[in-house]
Amino acid sequence: MTIRVAVVDDQQLVRAGFAMVIDSQPDMAVSWQAGDGQEALGRLSADPVDIVIMDVQMPGLDGIEATRRAIAADPAPRVIVLTTFDIDRYVLDAIAAGASGFLLKDTEPEQLLASIRTVAGGDATLSARSTRRLLDHVRQGLGTGSAPEPALVEDLTAREAEFLRHMALGLNNGELAEGLFVSEATVKTHVGRILAKTGSRDRVQAVLVAFRAGLVTAEDLRG
């Protein structure tokens, strides 16, 4: 099934470039483009898509607020925020708004396409650098003396907790299968159960749960 994608950016050449890359793939196509958040919401209402590639800084309604409103739509798309600016606040705000991914505009085309497929499949995509900085921020918010909250993962089996820890360290499904000696089908089953039991929307949310529960630390991600 073709993944329907929308590209939202206030620079026409940027939109055209992304559209060219996306339309070159047999399993995805750009349904429409928009130059700002308000236009995007109007187009989304008339022509729902699976994935929205959303710029952050745009005139009028910015990408963060547009993401928040888009996620509230029915049916709701999944949003990948794409920006030139590698700023902590943008990462945090995008995730809080409900984005399933955050990538910089200097991301290689292959990574962009892989991210679209990952998000369309129900997972989240976040660069390792952004994940580390996100956890740093959460650690600061909790305070250095804050105790772990193991109750957040008390419903997980020991094996599921092991999977969650490795997920939080940034391993994808293939790497999880190889490292934990199981099939990718088994990985998907475990991931689905972990998300359900922890009430996580996607892997990014699961990373935060793992961190708050003490399964992984920001120092582990730097190792």
Side-chain angles (χ1 to χ4, degrees), residues 9-19:
D9 193 291
D10 61 336
Q11 298 182 47
Q12 185 174 357
L13 285 178
V14 172
R15 297 199 305 270
F18 288 148

Side-chain angles (χ1 to χ4, degrees), residues 1 4 7 35 39 48 65 91 99 102 107-108 111 117 125 130 139 141 143 152 154 159 168 189-190 206:
M1 187 173 66
R4 299 166 299 163
V7 180
E39 180 186 1
E65 181 58 29
V91 178
F102 183 95
T107 296
E108 294 293 329
Q111 185 180 354
R117 294 186 178 100
T125 179
S130 293
R139 178 178 56 183
L152 293 172
E154 64 183 3
R159 185 61 163 167
T189 297
H190 278 297

Side-chain angles (χ1 to χ4, degrees), residues 12-30:
Q12 185 174 357
L13 285 178
V14 172
R15 297 199 305 270
F18 288 148
M20 185 179 301
V21 171
I22 294 167
D23 281 334
S24 71
Q25 302 301 296
D27 60 336
M28 60 184 72
V30 174

Side-chain angles (χ1 to χ4, degrees), residues 90-101:
Y90 289 158
V91 178
L92 297 168
D93 288 351
I95 292 170
S100 296

